[in-house]
Coordinates of all heavy atoms in Angstrom, one line a residue:
M1 N -31.4 45.2 -92.8 CA -30.4 46.4 -93.0 C -30.2 47.1 -91.7 O -31.2 47.5 -91.2 CB -31.0 47.3 -94.0 CG -30.1 48.2 -94.6 SD -28.8 47.5 -95.8 CE -28.0 49.1 -96.2
P2 N -29.0 47.1 -91.2 CA -28.8 47.8 -89.8 C -29.0 49.3 -90.1 O -28.7 49.9 -91.2 CB -27.3 47.4 -89.6 CG -26.6 47.1 -90.9 CD -27.7 46.6 -91.7
E3 N -29.4 49.9 -89.0 CA -29.6 51.4 -89.0 C -28.5 52.2 -88.4 O -28.1 51.8 -87.4 CB -30.8 51.7 -88.4 CG -31.3 53.1 -88.3 CD -32.6 53.3 -87.7 OE1 -33.3 52.5 -87.2 OE2 -33.0 54.6 -87.5
F4 N -27.9 53.1 -89.1 CA -26.8 53.8 -88.4 C -27.4 55.0 -87.5 O -28.3 55.6 -88.0 CB -25.8 54.4 -89.5 CG -24.8 53.4 -90.1 CD1 -25.2 52.6 -91.1 CD2 -23.6 53.4 -89.6 CE1 -24.2 51.6 -91.5 CE2 -22.6 52.5 -90.1 CZ -23.0 51.6 -91.0
H5 N -26.7 55.2 -86.3 CA -27.1 56.1 -85.5 C -25.8 57.1 -85.2 O -24.8 56.5 -85.0 CB -27.4 55.6 -84.2 CG -28.6 54.7 -84.2 ND1 -30.0 55.1 -83.9 CD2 -28.9 53.4 -84.6 CE1 -30.8 53.9 -84.0 NE2 -30.0 52.9 -84.5
K6 N -26.1 58.4 -85.2 CA -24.9 59.3 -84.8 C -24.7 59.2 -83.3 O -25.8 59.5 -82.5 CB -25.3 60.7 -85.2 CG -24.3 61.7 -84.8 CD -24.9 63.1 -85.5 CE -24.0 64.3 -84.8 NZ -24.6 65.5 -85.1
V7 N -23.6 58.9 -82.8 CA -23.4 58.7 -81.4 C -22.3 59.6 -80.8 O -22.2 59.7 -79.5 CB -22.9 57.1 -81.2 CG1 -24.1 56.2 -81.4 CG2 -21.6 56.8 -81.9
A8 N -21.4 60.1 -81.6 CA -20.3 61.0 -81.1 C -19.8 61.9 -82.1 O -20.0 61.7 -83.3 CB -19.2 60.1 -80.5
K9 N -18.9 62.7 -81.7 CA -18.0 63.5 -82.5 C -16.6 62.7 -82.6 O -16.1 62.2 -81.6 CB -17.8 65.0 -82.0 CG -19.0 65.9 -82.1 CD -19.3 66.2 -83.5 CE -20.5 67.1 -83.7 NZ -20.9 67.3 -85.0
T10 N -16.0 62.8 -83.8 CA -14.8 62.1 -83.9 C -13.8 62.6 -82.9 O -12.9 61.9 -82.3 CB -14.1 62.3 -85.3 OG1 -14.0 63.7 -85.6 CG2 -14.9 61.7 -86.4
A11 N -13.9 63.9 -82.5 CA -12.8 64.5 -81.6 C -13.1 63.9 -80.1 O -12.2 64.0 -79.2 CB -12.9 65.9 -81.3
D12 N -14.2 63.4 -79.9 CA -14.6 62.7 -78.5 C -13.8 61.3 -78.4 O -13.9 60.9 -77.2 CB -16.1 62.4 -78.4 CG -16.9 63.8 -78.5 OD1 -16.2 64.8 -78.0 OD2 -18.1 63.7 -78.8
V13 N -13.4 60.7 -79.5 CA -12.8 59.4 -79.4 C -11.4 59.5 -79.7 O -10.9 59.8 -80.8 CB -13.5 58.5 -80.5 CG1 -13.0 57.0 -80.3 CG2 -15.0 58.6 -80.5
V14 N -10.6 59.4 -78.6 CA -9.1 59.6 -78.6 C -8.3 58.3 -78.5 O -9.0 57.3 -77.9 CB -8.7 60.7 -77.5 CG1 -9.4 61.9 -77.8 CG2 -9.1 60.0 -76.1
E15 N -7.1 58.3 -78.9 CA -6.3 57.1 -78.7 C -6.2 56.7 -77.2 O -6.0 57.6 -76.4 CB -5.0 57.2 -79.4 CG -4.9 57.5 -80.9 CD -5.0 56.3 -81.8 OE1 -4.9 55.2 -81.1 OE2 -5.2 56.4 -83.0
G16 N -6.1 55.5 -76.9 CA -5.6 55.0 -75.6 C -6.7 55.0 -74.4 O -6.5 54.5 -73.4
K17 N -7.9 55.4 -74.8 CA -9.1 55.2 -73.8 C -10.4 55.1 -74.6 O -10.6 55.5 -75.7 CB -8.9 56.4 -72.8 CG -9.3 57.6 -73.4 CD -9.5 58.8 -72.5 CE -10.8 59.4 -72.4 NZ -11.0 60.5 -71.5
G18 N -11.5 54.6 -73.9 CA -12.6 54.4 -74.3 C -13.5 55.6 -74.1 O -13.4 56.5 -73.3
T19 N -14.6 55.6 -74.9 CA -15.7 56.5 -74.9 C -17.0 55.8 -74.9 O -17.3 55.0 -75.7 CB -15.7 57.5 -76.0 OG1 -14.5 58.2 -76.1 CG2 -16.9 58.6 -75.9
I20 N -17.8 55.9 -73.9 CA -18.9 55.3 -73.7 C -20.1 56.1 -74.2 O -20.4 57.3 -73.8 CB -19.3 54.8 -72.2 CG1 -18.3 53.9 -71.8 CG2 -20.7 54.1 -72.1 CD1 -18.3 53.6 -70.2
V21 N -21.0 55.6 -75.1 CA -22.2 56.3 -75.7 C -23.4 55.3 -75.5 O -23.2 54.1 -75.2 CB -21.9 56.7 -77.1 CG1 -20.9 57.6 -77.2 CG2 -21.9 55.4 -78.0
A22 N -24.5 56.0 -75.8 CA -25.8 55.1 -75.5 C -26.7 55.4 -76.7 O -26.9 56.5 -77.2 CB -26.5 55.4 -74.3
V23 N -27.3 54.3 -77.2 CA -28.4 54.5 -78.2 C -29.6 53.8 -77.5 O -29.6 52.6 -77.2 CB -28.0 53.8 -79.5 CG1 -29.3 53.8 -80.4 CG2 -26.9 54.3 -80.2
D24 N -30.6 54.6 -77.2 CA -31.6 54.1 -76.3 C -31.0 53.5 -75.0 O -30.3 54.2 -74.2 CB -32.5 53.1 -76.9 CG -33.3 53.8 -78.2 OD1 -33.5 55.0 -78.2 OD2 -33.4 53.1 -79.2
D25 N -31.4 52.2 -74.7 CA -30.8 51.6 -73.4 C -29.4 50.9 -73.7 O -29.0 50.3 -72.7 CB -31.9 50.7 -72.9 CG -33.1 51.2 -72.4 OD1 -32.9 52.5 -72.1 OD2 -34.1 50.6 -72.4
L26 N -29.0 50.9 -74.9 CA -27.8 50.1 -75.2 C -26.5 50.9 -75.1 O -26.5 52.0 -75.8 CB -27.9 49.5 -76.7 CG -26.6 48.8 -77.2 CD1 -26.5 47.5 -76.4 CD2 -26.9 48.5 -78.7
K27 N -25.7 50.5 -74.3 CA -24.3 51.3 -74.1 C -23.3 50.6 -75.1 O -23.2 49.4 -75.1 CB -23.9 51.2 -72.6 CG -24.7 52.1 -71.7 CD -24.1 52.1 -70.4 CE -24.8 53.1 -69.5 NZ -24.3 53.1 -68.1
I28 N -22.6 51.4 -75.7 CA -21.6 51.1 -76.6 C -20.3 51.8 -76.2 O -20.3 52.9 -75.9 CB -21.9 51.5 -78.1 CG1 -23.3 50.7 -78.4 CG2 -20.9 51.3 -79.1 CD1 -24.0 51.3 -79.8
A29 N -19.2 51.0 -76.2 CA -17.9 51.5 -76.1 C -17.2 51.8 -77.4 O -17.1 50.9 -78.3 CB -17.0 50.6 -75.3
L30 N -16.8 53.0 -77.7 CA -15.9 53.3 -78.8 C -14.5 53.5 -78.5 O -14.1 53.9 -77.4 CB -16.4 54.8 -79.2 CG -18.0 54.9 -79.6 CD1 -18.2 56.3 -80.0 CD2 -18.3 54.0 -80.7
F31 N -13.7 53.0 -79.3 CA -12.2 53.0 -79.2 C -11.5 53.5 -80.5 O -12.0 53.1 -81.5 CB -11.6 51.7 -78.9 CG -12.1 51.1 -77.6 CD1 -13.3 50.2 -77.5 CD2 -11.5 51.5 -76.2 CE1 -13.8 49.8 -76.2 CE2 -12.0 51.0 -75.2 CZ -13.1 50.3 -75.0
R32 N -10.4 54.3 -80.4 CA -9.7 54.6 -81.6 C -8.3 53.9 -81.5 O -7.4 54.0 -80.5 CB -9.4 56.0 -81.6 CG -8.7 56.7 -82.9 CD -8.5 58.1 -82.9 NE -9.5 59.0 -82.9 CZ -10.0 59.5 -84.0 NH1 -9.5 59.1 -85.1 NH2 -11.1 60.3 -83.9
C33 N -8.1 53.1 -82.4 CA -6.8 52.4 -82.7 C -6.1 52.8 -84.0 O -6.6 52.5 -85.0 CB -6.9 50.9 -82.6 SG -7.5 50.2 -81.1
E34 N -4.9 53.4 -83.9 CA -4.2 53.8 -85.1 C -5.1 54.5 -86.0 O -5.0 54.4 -87.2 CB -3.5 52.6 -85.7 CG -2.4 51.9 -84.7 CD -2.1 50.6 -85.4 OE1 -2.6 50.1 -86.3 OE2 -1.2 50.0 -84.8
G35 N -6.0 55.4 -85.4 CA -6.8 56.2 -86.3 C -8.2 55.9 -86.6 O -8.9 56.6 -87.0
T36 N -8.3 54.4 -86.4 CA -9.6 53.9 -86.9 C -10.6 53.7 -85.7 O -10.0 53.3 -84.6 CB -9.4 52.6 -87.6 OG1 -8.6 52.8 -88.6 CG2 -10.7 51.9 -88.0
I37 N -11.7 53.9 -85.7 CA -12.6 53.8 -84.6 C -13.5 52.6 -84.7 O -13.9 52.2 -85.7 CB -13.6 55.1 -84.5 CG1 -12.8 56.5 -84.4 CG2 -14.6 54.9 -83.5 CD1 -13.7 57.6 -84.4
Y38 N -13.4 52.0 -83.5 CA -14.2 50.7 -83.4 C -15.3 50.8 -82.4 O -15.1 51.6 -81.4 CB -13.3 49.4 -83.0 CG -12.1 49.4 -84.0 CD1 -10.9 50.1 -83.9 CD2 -12.2 48.6 -85.1 CE1 -9.9 49.9 -84.9 CE2 -11.3 48.3 -86.1 CZ -10.2 49.0 -85.8 OH -9.2 48.9 -86.8
A39 N -16.2 49.9 -82.5 CA -17.3 49.9 -81.5 C -17.8 48.6 -81.1 O -17.8 47.7 -81.9 CB -18.6 50.6 -82.2
I40 N -17.9 48.3 -79.7 CA -18.1 47.2 -79.1 C -19.3 47.4 -78.1 O -19.4 48.5 -77.6 CB -17.0 46.4 -78.6 CG1 -16.4 47.2 -77.3 CG2 -15.9 46.1 -79.5 CD1 -15.3 46.4 -76.6
R41 N -19.9 46.3 -77.8 CA -20.9 46.4 -76.6 C -20.1 46.8 -75.4 O -19.0 46.3 -75.1 CB -21.7 45.2 -76.5 CG -22.7 45.3 -75.5 CD -23.7 44.0 -75.4 NE -24.7 44.2 -74.4 CZ -25.4 43.3 -73.9 NH1 -25.3 42.0 -74.4 NH2 -26.5 43.6 -73.1
N42 N -20.5 47.7 -74.6 CA -19.8 48.1 -73.4 C -19.8 47.2 -72.4 O -18.9 47.2 -71.4 CB -20.6 49.5 -72.9 CG -19.8 50.2 -71.7 OD1 -18.5 50.3 -71.8 ND2 -20.5 50.3 -70.6
Q43 N -20.7 46.3 -72.2 CA -20.8 45.4 -71.1 C -19.8 44.2 -71.2 O -19.9 43.3 -72.1 CB -22.2 44.7 -71.1 CG -22.6 43.9 -69.8 CD -24.1 43.6 -69.8 OE1 -24.7 43.4 -70.9 NE2 -24.7 43.5 -68.8
C44 N -18.9 44.0 -70.2 CA -18.0 42.9 -70.3 C -18.6 41.5 -70.1 O -19.7 41.4 -69.3 CB -17.1 43.2 -69.0 SG -15.9 41.8 -68.9
P45 N -18.2 40.5 -70.8 CA -18.7 39.3 -70.9 C -18.6 38.5 -69.5 O -19.3 37.5 -69.3 CB -18.1 38.4 -72.0 CG -16.9 39.2 -72.2 CD -17.1 40.5 -71.9
H46 N -17.8 39.0 -68.7 CA -17.4 38.3 -67.4 C -18.6 38.6 -66.4 O -19.5 37.9 -66.2 CB -16.1 38.7 -66.8 CG -15.9 38.1 -65.5 ND1 -15.2 38.8 -64.4 CD2 -16.2 36.8 -65.0 CE1 -15.1 38.0 -63.4 NE2 -15.7 36.7 -63.7
M47 N -18.6 39.8 -65.8 CA -19.8 40.2 -64.9 C -20.4 41.6 -65.2 O -20.9 42.2 -64.3 CB -19.2 40.3 -63.5 CG -18.8 38.8 -63.0 SD -18.1 38.7 -61.3 CE -19.5 39.1 -60.4
G48 N -20.2 42.1 -66.5 CA -20.8 43.2 -66.9 C -20.1 44.6 -66.6 O -20.8 45.6 -66.7
G49 N -18.9 44.6 -66.3 CA -18.2 45.9 -66.2 C -18.2 46.7 -67.5 O -18.4 46.2 -68.5
D50 N -17.8 48.0 -67.3 CA -17.9 49.0 -68.3 C -16.6 48.9 -69.1 O -15.6 49.5 -68.7 CB -18.2 50.3 -67.8 CG -19.6 50.6 -67.2 OD1 -20.6 50.1 -67.9 OD2 -19.8 51.2 -66.2
L51 N -16.6 48.2 -70.2 CA -15.3 48.0 -71.0 C -14.8 49.4 -71.5 O -13.6 49.6 -71.6 CB -15.6 47.2 -72.1 CG -15.8 45.7 -71.8 CD1 -16.2 44.9 -73.0 CD2 -14.6 45.0 -71.2
G52 N -15.8 50.4 -71.8 CA -15.3 51.8 -72.1 C -14.6 52.5 -71.2 O -13.9 53.4 -71.5
D53 N -14.5 52.0 -69.8 CA -13.8 52.6 -68.8 C -12.4 51.9 -68.6 O -11.8 52.2 -67.7 CB -14.5 52.6 -67.5 CG -15.7 53.7 -67.4 OD1 -15.6 54.7 -68.3 OD2 -16.5 53.5 -66.6
G54 N -12.1 50.8 -69.3 CA -10.9 50.0 -69.2 C -9.8 50.8 -69.8 O -9.9 51.8 -70.4
T55 N -8.6 50.2 -69.6 CA -7.4 50.7 -70.1 C -7.1 50.0 -71.6 O -7.4 48.9 -71.7 CB -6.2 50.4 -69.3 OG1 -6.1 49.1 -68.9 CG2 -6.4 51.2 -68.0
L56 N -6.7 50.8 -72.4 CA -6.5 50.2 -73.9 C -5.0 50.2 -74.1 O -4.2 51.2 -74.1 CB -7.1 51.3 -74.8 CG -7.1 50.7 -76.3 CD1 -8.0 49.4 -76.5 CD2 -7.7 51.8 -77.1
E57 N -4.5 49.0 -74.6 CA -3.1 48.9 -75.0 C -3.2 48.2 -76.4 O -3.5 47.0 -76.4 CB -2.2 48.0 -74.0 CG -2.1 48.8 -72.7 CD -1.2 47.9 -71.8 OE1 -0.6 46.9 -72.2 OE2 -1.2 48.2 -70.5
G58 N -2.8 48.9 -77.4 CA -2.8 48.4 -78.7 C -4.4 48.4 -79.1 O -5.2 49.2 -79.0
D59 N -4.8 47.1 -79.5 CA -6.2 46.8 -79.7 C -6.9 46.1 -78.6 O -7.9 45.6 -78.8 CB -6.4 46.2 -81.1 CG -5.5 44.8 -81.3 OD1 -5.1 44.4 -80.3 OD2 -5.5 44.3 -82.4
I60 N -6.3 46.0 -77.4 CA -6.8 45.3 -76.3 C -7.3 46.1 -75.2 O -6.3 46.9 -74.7 CB -5.8 44.3 -75.8 CG1 -5.2 43.3 -76.8 CG2 -6.4 43.6 -74.5 CD1 -6.3 42.2 -77.3
V61 N -8.4 46.1 -74.8 CA -9.0 46.8 -73.6 C -9.0 45.8 -72.5 O -9.4 44.6 -72.6 CB -10.4 47.5 -73.9 CG1 -11.5 46.4 -74.3 CG2 -10.8 48.4 -72.8
R62 N -8.6 46.3 -71.4 CA -8.8 45.6 -70.1 C -9.9 46.0 -69.2 O -9.9 47.2 -68.9 CB -7.5 45.7 -69.2 CG -6.3 45.0 -69.9 CD -5.6 44.0 -68.9 NE -4.7 43.2 -69.7 CZ -4.6 41.9 -69.8 NH1 -5.6 41.2 -69.0 NH2 -3.7 41.2 -70.4
C63 N -10.8 45.2 -69.0 CA -12.0 45.5 -68.2 C -11.6 46.1 -66.9 O -10.6 45.5 -66.1 CB -12.8 44.3 -68.0 SG -14.4 44.6 -66.9
P64 N -12.2 47.3 -66.4 CA -11.7 47.9 -65.2 C -12.1 47.1 -63.9 O -11.5 47.3 -62.8 CB -12.4 49.3 -65.2 CG -13.6 49.0 -66.1 CD -13.1 48.0 -67.0
W65 N -12.9 46.0 -64.1 CA -13.4 45.2 -62.9 C -12.5 44.3 -62.5 O -11.9 44.1 -61.3 CB -14.9 44.7 -63.1 CG -15.9 45.7 -63.0 CD1 -15.8 47.1 -63.1 CD2 -17.3 45.5 -62.8 NE1 -17.0 47.7 -62.9 CE2 -18.0 46.7 -62.8 CE3 -18.0 44.3 -62.7 CZ2 -19.3 46.9 -62.6 CZ3 -19.4 44.4 -62.6 CH2 -20.1 45.8 -62.5
H66 N -12.1 43.3 -63.4 CA -11.2 42.2 -63.1 C -10.1 42.0 -64.1 O -9.5 40.9 -64.1 CB -12.1 40.9 -62.9 CG -13.2 41.0 -62.1 ND1 -14.5 41.1 -62.6 CD2 -13.4 41.2 -60.7 CE1 -15.5 41.3 -61.6 NE2 -14.7 41.3 -60.5
G67 N -10.0 42.8 -65.1 CA -9.0 42.8 -66.0 C -9.0 41.9 -67.1 O -8.1 41.6 -67.9
W68 N -10.2 41.3 -67.4 CA -10.3 40.5 -68.7 C -9.9 41.2 -69.8 O -10.4 42.5 -70.0 CB -11.7 40.0 -68.9 CG -12.1 38.8 -68.0 CD1 -11.5 38.3 -66.9 CD2 -13.0 37.8 -68.3 NE1 -12.1 37.2 -66.4 CE2 -13.1 36.8 -67.3 CE3 -14.0 37.6 -69.4 CZ2 -13.9 35.8 -67.2 CZ3 -14.8 36.5 -69.3 CH2 -14.7 35.5 -68.3
P69 N -9.2 40.7 -70.8 CA -8.9 41.4 -72.1 C -9.8 41.2 -73.1 O -10.3 40.1 -73.4 CB -7.4 40.8 -72.5 CG -7.5 39.4 -71.9 CD -8.4 39.4 -70.7
I70 N -10.1 42.1 -73.9 CA -11.1 42.0 -75.1 C -10.3 42.8 -76.3 O -10.0 44.0 -76.0 CB -12.4 42.7 -74.8 CG1 -13.2 41.8 -73.6 CG2 -13.2 42.7 -76.1 CD1 -13.6 40.4 -74.0
N71 N -10.4 42.2 -77.4 CA -9.9 42.9 -78.7 C -10.9 43.8 -79.2 O -12.1 43.3 -79.4 CB -9.5 41.8 -79.6 CG -8.8 42.4 -80.9 OD1 -9.4 43.4 -81.4 ND2 -7.7 42.0 -81.2
V72 N -10.7 45.0 -79.2 CA -11.7 45.9 -79.6 C -12.0 45.9 -81.1 O -13.2 46.3 -81.5 CB -11.4 47.4 -79.3 CG1 -11.3 47.6 -77.7 CG2 -10.2 47.9 -80.0
K73 N -11.2 45.2 -81.9 CA -11.5 45.1 -83.3 C -12.4 43.9 -83.5 O -13.3 43.9 -84.5 CB -10.1 44.9 -84.1 CG -9.3 46.1 -84.0 CD -8.1 45.8 -84.8 CE -7.1 47.0 -84.8 NZ -5.7 46.8 -85.3
T74 N -12.3 42.8 -82.8 CA -12.9 41.7 -83.0 C -14.1 41.4 -82.0 O -15.0 40.6 -82.2 CB -12.0 40.4 -83.0 OG1 -11.5 40.2 -81.7 CG2 -11.1 40.5 -84.0
G75 N -13.9 42.1 -80.8 CA -14.8 41.8 -79.6 C -14.5 40.6 -78.9 O -15.3 40.1 -77.9
Q76 N -13.4 39.8 -79.2 CA -13.1 38.6 -78.7 C -12.0 38.7 -77.6 O -11.1 39.5 -77.6 CB -12.6 37.6 -79.8 CG -13.7 37.2 -80.7 CD -13.1 36.4 -81.9 OE1 -12.1 36.7 -82.4 NE2 -13.9 35.4 -82.2
H77 N -12.0 37.7 -76.6 CA -11.1 37.5 -75.5 C -9.8 36.9 -76.5 O -10.1 35.8 -77.2 CB -11.6 36.6 -74.5 CG -10.5 36.4 -73.4 ND1 -9.4 35.8 -73.5 CD2 -10.7 36.7 -72.0 CE1 -8.7 35.8 -72.3 NE2 -9.6 36.3 -71.6
P78 N -8.6 37.4 -76.3 CA -7.6 36.9 -77.2 C -7.2 35.5 -76.9 O -6.8 34.7 -78.0 CB -6.3 37.8 -76.8 CG -6.9 39.0 -76.1 CD -8.3 38.5 -75.6
Q79 N -7.3 34.9 -75.6 CA -7.0 33.5 -75.5 C -8.1 32.6 -75.6 O -8.1 31.4 -75.4 CB -6.3 33.4 -74.1 CG -4.9 34.0 -73.9 CD -4.8 35.4 -73.8 OE1 -5.5 36.1 -73.1 NE2 -3.9 36.0 -74.6
A80 N -9.5 33.2 -75.4 CA -10.6 32.3 -75.5 C -11.6 33.0 -76.4 O -12.5 33.6 -75.8 CB -11.1 32.2 -74.0
P81 N -11.3 32.9 -77.7 CA -12.2 33.7 -78.8 C -13.7 33.3 -78.6 O -14.5 34.3 -79.0 CB -11.7 33.3 -80.1 CG -10.2 32.7 -79.6 CD -10.4 32.2 -78.3
V82 N -14.1 32.3 -78.0 CA -15.6 32.0 -77.9 C -16.2 33.1 -76.8 O -17.3 33.2 -76.9 CB -15.8 30.6 -77.3 CG1 -15.3 30.4 -76.0 CG2 -17.3 30.2 -77.5
V83 N -15.4 33.6 -76.0 CA -15.8 34.7 -75.0 C -15.7 36.1 -75.8 O -14.7 36.4 -76.2 CB -14.9 34.8 -73.8 CG1 -15.3 36.0 -72.9 CG2 -15.0 33.5 -73.0
A84 N -16.8 36.6 -76.1 CA -16.8 37.7 -76.9 C -18.0 38.7 -76.6 O -19.0 38.3 -76.0 CB -16.9 37.5 -78.4
V85 N -17.7 39.9 -77.0 CA -18.9 41.0 -76.9 C -19.2 41.3 -78.5 O -18.4 41.1 -79.5 CB -18.5 42.2 -76.2 CG1 -18.3 42.0 -74.8 CG2 -17.4 42.9 -76.8
R86 N -20.3 41.8 -78.7 CA -20.8 42.3 -80.0 C -20.0 43.4 -80.5 O -19.6 44.3 -79.8 CB -22.3 42.6 -79.9 CG -22.8 42.8 -81.4 CD -24.3 42.7 -81.5 NE -24.7 43.1 -82.8 CZ -25.9 43.5 -83.1 NH1 -26.9 43.4 -82.2 NH2 -26.3 43.8 -84.4
T87 N -19.7 43.4 -81.8 CA -19.0 44.5 -82.4 C -20.1 45.1 -83.3 O -21.1 44.5 -83.8 CB -17.8 44.2 -83.3 OG1 -18.3 43.1 -84.3 CG2 -16.7 43.4 -82.4
Y88 N -19.9 46.3 -83.5 CA -20.8 47.2 -84.5 C -20.1 47.9 -85.5 O -18.9 48.5 -85.2 CB -21.5 48.3 -83.6 CG -22.4 47.6 -82.4 CD1 -21.8 47.6 -81.1 CD2 -23.5 47.1 -82.6 CE1 -22.4 47.0 -80.1 CE2 -24.3 46.6 -81.5 CZ -23.7 46.5 -80.3 OH -24.3 45.9 -79.3
P89 N -20.6 47.9 -86.7 CA -19.9 48.7 -87.9 C -20.0 50.2 -87.5 O -20.9 50.7 -86.9 CB -20.9 48.4 -89.0 CG -21.6 47.1 -88.8 CD -21.8 47.2 -87.2
V90 N -18.8 50.9 -87.7 CA -18.6 52.2 -87.6 C -18.6 53.0 -88.9 O -17.8 52.4 -89.8 CB -17.4 52.5 -86.7 CG1 -17.2 54.0 -86.5 CG2 -17.6 51.9 -85.3
R91 N -19.2 54.0 -89.0 CA -19.0 54.9 -90.2 C -18.7 56.4 -89.8 O -19.4 56.9 -88.8 CB -20.4 54.9 -91.0 CG -20.3 55.6 -92.4 CD -21.5 55.3 -93.2 NE -22.7 55.9 -92.7 CZ -23.8 55.6 -93.1 NH1 -24.1 54.7 -94.0 NH2 -24.9 56.1 -92.6
V92 N -17.8 57.0 -90.4 CA -17.4 58.3 -90.1 C -17.8 59.3 -91.2 O -17.5 59.0 -92.3 CB -15.9 58.5 -89.7 CG1 -15.6 60.0 -89.5 CG2 -15.4 57.7 -88.4
E93 N -18.6 60.3 -90.8 CA -19.1 61.2 -91.8 C -18.7 62.6 -91.3 O -19.2 63.1 -90.4 CB -20.6 61.1 -92.2 CG -21.0 59.8 -92.8 CD -22.6 59.7 -93.1 OE1 -23.2 60.6 -92.7 OE2 -22.9 58.7 -93.6
G94 N -17.7 63.2 -92.0 CA -17.3 64.5 -91.5 C -16.7 64.4 -90.0 O -15.7 63.5 -89.9
D95 N -17.3 65.1 -89.2 CA -16.9 65.1 -87.8 C -17.7 64.1 -87.0 O -17.6 64.1 -85.7 CB -16.9 66.5 -87.2 CG -15.9 67.4 -87.8 OD1 -15.0 66.9 -88.4 OD2 -16.3 68.7 -87.8
D96 N -18.6 63.5 -87.6 CA -19.6 62.6 -86.8 C -19.3 61.2 -87.0 O -18.9 60.7 -87.8 CB -21.0 62.8 -87.4 CG -21.4 64.3 -87.1 OD1 -21.1 64.8 -86.1 OD2 -22.3 64.8 -88.0
V97 N -19.4 60.4 -85.8 CA -19.3 59.0 -85.7 C -20.7 58.3 -85.7 O -21.5 58.6 -84.8 CB -18.5 58.6 -84.5 CG1 -18.3 57.0 -84.4 CG2 -17.2 59.3 -84.4
H98 N -20.9 57.4 -86.6 CA -22.0 56.7 -86.8 C -21.9 55.2 -86.4 O -20.9 54.7 -86.9 CB -22.8 56.9 -88.0 CG -23.1 58.2 -88.4 ND1 -24.4 58.7 -88.4 CD2 -22.3 59.3 -88.7 CE1 -24.4 60.0 -88.7 NE2 -23.2 60.4 -89.0
V99 N -22.8 54.6 -85.8 CA -22.7 53.2 -85.4 C -23.9 52.4 -85.9 O -25.0 53.1 -85.6 CB -22.5 52.9 -83.9 CG1 -22.6 51.5 -83.5 CG2 -21.2 53.6 -83.5
A100 N -23.8 51.3 -86.5 CA -25.0 50.5 -87.0 C -25.4 49.5 -86.0 O -24.5 48.7 -85.5 CB -24.6 49.9 -88.3
L101 N -26.6 49.5 -85.6 CA -27.1 48.5 -84.7 C -28.0 47.6 -85.4 O -28.6 47.7 -86.5 CB -28.0 49.2 -83.7 CG -27.2 50.4 -83.0 CD1 -28.3 50.9 -81.8 CD2 -26.1 49.8 -82.2
Ligands
LIG201 S1 -16.6 42.2 -65.1 FE1 -15.1 42.5 -66.6 S2 -13.4 41.1 -65.9 FE2 -15.0 40.9 -64.5

């Protein structure tokens, strides 16, 4: 059973950009797409860039290091789905964002 961790306030996660949070040593990137918040591992599968600092267009974040695209809903590269980062379940309770690890 995954354990939910409170990681942010809903107001911290805005449309169009990522928010990087940490649970212990694990960095997670939060994104809001059309009102829904998604959580993926922050580390790019290419060379470890911070996906949460990338630019978001629709549901695709572009890594700030070399531009690899990752779908924030699935964690997958759109053209090569085998290339992926982990996604995490998100639960919103009031003003708080919880992520399950
Ligand atoms: S580290 Fe993300 S594209 Fe290279």
Side-chain angles (χ1 to χ4, degrees):
M1 189 79 176
E3 185 180 350
F4 278 87
H5 298 262
K6 180 179 161 186
V7 294
K9 292 290 189 185
T10 55
D12 297 335
V13 188
V14 298
E15 298 276 351
K17 62 178 241 176
T19 301
I20 299 173
V21 298
V23 177
D24 298 326
D25 292 335
L26 177 65
K27 286 187 179 177
I28 297 166
L30 304 175
F31 297 93
R32 184 187 292 269
C33 290
E34 299 171 354
T36 301
I37 296 174
Y38 298 91
I40 63 173
R41 189 172 181 192
N42 183 56
Q43 188 175 32
C44 178
H46 181 217
M47 294 178 68
D50 289 317
L51 292 173
D53 286 337
T55 54
L56 185 68
E57 291 182 17
D59 53 11
I60 302 294
V61 61
R62 290 235 170 233
C63 177
W65 284 16
H66 314 99
W68 277 27
I70 295 291
N71 185 309
V72 302
K73 296 178 180 175
T74 65
Q76 295 174 315
H77 188 297
Q79 285 81 43
V82 69
V83 175
V85 295
R86 185 164 175 193
T87 61
Y88 302 96
V90 174
R91 187 169 71 195
V92 174
E93 291 182 359
D95 294 338
D96 296 325
V97 180
H98 299 254
V99 172
L101 304 182

